[in-house]
């Protein structure tokens, strides 16, 4: 299976059976991502160099306003899209096979985990994976050590508190926190 067919399969939300051509393609993409993230995470790189490396990792142009503080980890890379003015802080881990889109002006705190794959719950099918996208809206702030699970959409202007585990969609302009995350209050305009 070639990369485009593999990415299409992942975007469809259909299961990826263990050992299938899509699963084998995921392993090839992982090896590429490991090589590029090792380069990102080794030594000092200027902001322009980091943008170029991130663009190579994702296979998409990256706006000059994008910022990344390494280290950064991903096991795919090809299913990440970032808008303008996005900032990703140190230690983040993106499992992007199911797709991760990050809107303009979003801030991603230290050690945030964005996970877009689940394994099948049935023990006899546990090697199968179920991709589901994460969508992060414009001007979202995700605090340090938060985890966002597959299939979650975070609305524009929302805030995810540090350490939260986000298991369901977050409405726009709300603050969520806790394990599992729940709405704590709304974001007030000043």
């Amino acid at each position: 299976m070639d990369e485009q067919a593999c990415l299409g399969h992942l975007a469809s939300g259909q299961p990826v059976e263990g050992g299938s051509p899509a699963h084998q393609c995921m392993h090839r993409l992982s090896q590429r991502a490991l090589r590029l993230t090792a380069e990102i995470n080794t030594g000092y790189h200027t902001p322009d160099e980091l943008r170029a490396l991130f663009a190579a990792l994702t296979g998409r142009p990256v706006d000059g306003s994008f910022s990344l503080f390494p280290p950064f980890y991903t096991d795919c890379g090809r299913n990440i899209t970032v808008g303008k003015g996005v900032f990703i802080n140190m230690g983040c881990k993106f499992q992007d096979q199911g797709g991760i889109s990050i809107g303009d002006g979003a801030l991603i705190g230290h050690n945030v985990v964005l996970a877009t794959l689940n394994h099948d719950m049935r023990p006899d099918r546990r090697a199968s994976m179920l991709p589901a996208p994460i969508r992060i809206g414009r001007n979202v702030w995700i605090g340090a050590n938060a985890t966002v699970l597959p299939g979650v959409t975070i609305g524009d202007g929302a805030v995810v508190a540090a350490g939260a585990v986000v298991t369901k969609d977050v409405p726009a302009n709300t603050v969520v926190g806790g394990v599992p995350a729940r709405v704590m209050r709304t974001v007030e305009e000043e």
Side-chain angles (χ1 to χ4, degrees):
M1 175 177 282
D2 70 11
E3 182 178 312
Q4 289 307 315
C6 180
L7 294 174
H9 182 89
L10 292 168
S12 76
Q14 295 177 30
V16 177
E17 304 295 330
S20 69
H23 190 238
Q24 293 169 14
C25 179
M26 285 172 52
H27 278 285
R28 288 192 306 275
L29 291 173
S30 292
Q31 292 307 304
R32 184 183 164 285
L34 289 170
R35 180 180 54 78
L36 286 166
T37 55
E39 190 171 347
I40 288 170
N41 297 333
T42 304
Y44 172 76
H45 300 286
T46 67
D48 286 339
E49 291 168 338
L50 285 170
R51 279 189 284 278
L53 287 165
F54 197 83
L57 178 67
T58 63
R60 294 176 175 83
V62 178
D63 190 76
S65 60
F66 170 77
S67 293
L68 170 69
F69 283 5
F72 174 79
Y73 305 95
T74 184
D75 55 0
C76 181
R78 300 305 267 190
N79 260 347
I80 301 170
T81 58
V82 295
K84 295 178 181 178
V86 169
F87 173 67
I88 299 171
N89 216 327
M90 295 177 184
C92 291
K93 297 168 183 75
F94 289 11
Q95 181 193 52
D96 64 289
Q97 288 88 343
I100 295 172
S101 62
I102 302 173
D104 294 346
L107 306 174
I108 312 296
H110 288 90
N111 302 314
V112 166
V113 174
L114 304 179
T116 66
L117 288 177
N118 270 325
H119 286 276
D120 198 302
M121 290 298 292
R122 296 168 292 182
D124 64 326
R125 300 187 53 84
R126 191 66 42 87
S128 294
M129 290 163 280
L130 310 168
I134 292 173
R135 295 177 181 91
I136 298 169
R138 293 177 20 249
N139 299 313
V140 167
W141 174 22
I142 301 179
N145 296 305
T147 299
V148 180
L149 296 182
V152 168
T153 296
I154 300 174
D156 293 347
V159 176
V160 175
V165 176
V166 185
T167 62
K168 60 184 179 179
D169 291 353
V170 176
N173 298 310
T174 59
V175 178
V176 299
V179 179
R182 60 179 177 74
V183 173
M184 301 172 76
R185 64 182 183 89
T186 60
V187 175
E188 307 214 5
E189 301 281 330
E190 289 192 36

